[in-house]
Amino acid sequence: MAIRISGRNQLPGKVIELLLGDIMAQVVVQVGEFVVEAVITRRSAEQMGLKVGDEVSVLVKATEAMVIKEMP
């Protein structure tokens, strides 16, 4: 399944750590030799089915980062 998004600052990588809190989730993504961290809602992480090892893209816009995962 393909997705389209207008943001151009997309960094493909792999989830290497996922910390779930009561409300928020911290997603740590290895992007080449760099590590990018994003804080998203726990609900979003659960709805995306995020887990360590997932291939994702980090979309960077201004001071925010969003995580994108293609769904089957």
Side-chain angles (χ1 to χ4, degrees):
M1 174 180 181
I3 61 169
R4 293 179 190 217
I5 192 161
S6 62
R8 295 293 172 239
N9 298 320
Q10 297 179 42
L11 308 171
K14 183 181 288 190
V15 176
I16 59 170
E17 188 175 357
L18 179 63
L19 304 172
L20 298 174
D22 291 336
I23 304 296
M24 303 302 289
Q26 181 179 2
V27 184
V28 183
V29 180
Q30 184 77 45
V31 178
E33 63 184 270
F34 302 101
V35 172
V36 178
E37 296 185 27
V39 176
I40 63 176
T41 64
R42 179 184 179 126
R43 180 178 289 180
S44 291
E46 290 173 342
Q47 287 175 340
M48 294 173 71
L50 285 179
K51 60 188 178 302
V52 172
D54 280 349
E55 297 288 335
V56 297
S57 291
V58 177
L59 175 64
V60 180
K61 180 175 180 179
T63 59
E64 297 179 22
M66 295 175 276
V67 177
I68 303 166
K69 177 182 175 183
E70 292 186 15
M71 305 301 288

